[in-house]
């Protein structure tokens, strides 16, 4: 079972925060957290690219005692952004400010993320010694430029803890082909291990606990694909009926 506050956010609160974060991915992130807790995987949580906070708020519910949530986003500060990133910021993320993010976050939590880094993700590389192997979940929804996505991919390899999972947004988005090119290239050539794909890719760099998908057992079926020696599944919604496969106990 999902904790009531988390379920309420997924069902209702999520829709009151501007942004793009589908129910299937909210449930999958909850499944990641539950699977890691069951396997005693610990570590901090990191989000690169937060916009107004829709997914960061959910990550905030997953903080256990002694764990921290770190959010990295330039918000409305375009210093250090490439021309393409600045143009994308203007086109898609109007109204984004750190103040707006913090306001949304505090509607659901009594305190802000433990650290907010109002800068591009390259800043995390500058603090690599501090952040190395620290995070059990890294959610990346930052730049869509191919070269910068590559850098975020390699950064995630250095920052993820044993048993951790990395989630890449927009791997199927037609407006972000650089993300798909960089992420799938890392699967084929750099050892990134894919597990589940929606509009996001849930992946790891080494062992990670089997992902318990029972939170999606009602109304979803899972289609497996073999890619670069790994099995990756994508959830597909269906109208529940007696002739559909029961996926309640499926683990991947």
């Amino acid at each position: 079972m999902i904790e009531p506050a988390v379920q309420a956010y997924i069902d209702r609160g999520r829709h009151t925060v501007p942004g793009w974060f589908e129910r299937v991915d909210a449930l999958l992130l909850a499944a990641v957290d539950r699977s890691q807790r069951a396997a005693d995987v610990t570590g901090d949580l990191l989000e690169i690219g937060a916009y107004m906070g829709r997914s960061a708020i959910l990550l905030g519910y997953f903080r256990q005692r002694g764990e921290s949530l770190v959010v990295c986003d330039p918000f409305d500060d375009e210093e250090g952004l490439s021309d393409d990133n600045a143009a994308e910021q203007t086109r898609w993320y109007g109204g984004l400010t750190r103040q707006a993010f913090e306001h949304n976050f505090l509607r659901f939590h009594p305190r802000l993320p433990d650290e907010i880094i109002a800068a591009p993700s390259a800043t995390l590389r500058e603090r690599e010694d501090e952040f190395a192997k620290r995070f059990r979940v890294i959610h990346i929804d930052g730049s869509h430029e191919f070269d910068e996505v590559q850098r975020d991919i390699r950064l995630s390899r250095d920052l993820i803890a044993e048993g951790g999972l990395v989630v890449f947004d927009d791997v199927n988005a037609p407006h972000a082909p650089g993300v798909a090119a960089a992420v799938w290239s890392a699967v084929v050539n750099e050892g990134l291990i894919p597990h589940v794909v929606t509009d996001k890719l849930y992946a790891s760099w080494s062992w990670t606990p089997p992902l318990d998908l029972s939170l999606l057992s009602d109304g979803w079926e899972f289609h497996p694909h073999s890619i670069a020696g790994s099995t990756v599944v994508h959830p597909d919604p269906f109208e529940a009926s007696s002739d559909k496969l029961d996926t309640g106990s499926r683990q991947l």
Side-chain angles (χ1 to χ4, degrees):
M1 294 291 292
I2 300 178
E3 294 178 6
V6 176
Q7 190 70 64
Y9 179 72
I10 292 173
D11 291 344
R12 297 182 296 278
R14 179 173 53 91
H15 299 290
T16 71
V17 181
W20 306 268
F21 184 46
E22 299 299 327
R23 177 180 176 83
V24 62
D25 290 299
L27 290 171
L28 281 169
L29 275 177
V32 169
D33 179 64
R34 185 164 75 168
S35 299
Q36 289 181 338
R37 292 190 190 202
D40 294 323
V41 173
T42 60
D44 294 334
L45 305 110
L46 170 64
E47 177 154 282
I48 296 175
Y51 189 45
M52 294 290 190
R54 185 180 277 202
S55 54
I57 291 165
L58 182 61
L59 292 178
Y61 285 109
F62 299 155
R63 284 182 288 192
Q64 302 179 60
R65 183 180 298 275
E67 294 183 344
S68 298
L69 171 62
V70 178
V71 170
C72 179
D73 193 302
F75 297 105
D76 53 338
D77 185 358
E78 294 186 0
E79 183 177 353
L81 296 182
S82 69
D83 291 343
D84 287 346
N85 277 335
E88 183 179 43
Q89 188 97 333
T90 300
R91 179 181 181 188
W92 294 103
Y93 307 117
L96 172 60
T97 64
R98 177 170 176 169
Q99 182 179 20
F101 167 82
E102 292 182 354
H103 170 76
N104 286 326
F105 197 91
L106 290 174
R107 289 169 49 213
F108 298 94
H109 297 289
R111 60 187 176 92
L112 289 170
D114 300 270
E115 184 172 1
I116 298 176
I117 302 170
S121 59
T123 304
L124 298 171
R125 177 62 75 186
E126 297 169 5
R127 297 172 58 181
E128 182 181 348
D129 289 346
E130 176 185 354
F131 290 139
K133 307 302 180 185
R134 173 173 159 180
F135 299 99
R136 65 180 174 95
V137 175
I138 300 177
H139 180 226
I140 299 178
D141 186 12
S143 172
H144 295 149
E145 289 189 46
F146 177 77
D147 290 343
E148 294 197 26
V149 176
Q150 281 192 316
R151 287 193 284 270
D152 284 343
I153 290 169
R154 290 162 186 164
L155 177 68
S156 75
R157 181 177 55 200
D158 296 330
L159 302 191
I160 198 71
E162 179 70 19
L165 203 81
V166 186
V167 184
F168 299 95
D169 191 49
D170 288 326
V171 296
N172 290 318
H175 70 277
V179 176
V183 171
W184 290 111
S185 176
V187 169
V188 174
N189 299 311
E190 299 185 38
L192 183 66
I193 304 167
H195 300 286
V196 180
V197 63
T198 57
D199 285 336
K200 303 179 187 288
L201 180 68
Y202 297 73
S204 65
W205 288 104
S206 61
W207 171 86
T208 194
L211 185 55
D212 181 357
L213 296 177
S214 61
L215 294 180
L216 285 81
S217 62
D218 183 14
W220 297 87
E221 59 184 356
F222 302 92
H223 302 282
H225 306 271
S226 180
I227 300 176
S230 297
T231 298
V232 58
V233 300
H234 80 269
D236 186 37
F238 68 93
E239 294 296 329
S241 63
S242 59
D243 62 338
K244 291 292 185 179
L245 174 67
D246 176 14
T247 58
S249 62
R250 181 189 290 269
Q251 291 188 329
L252 297 162

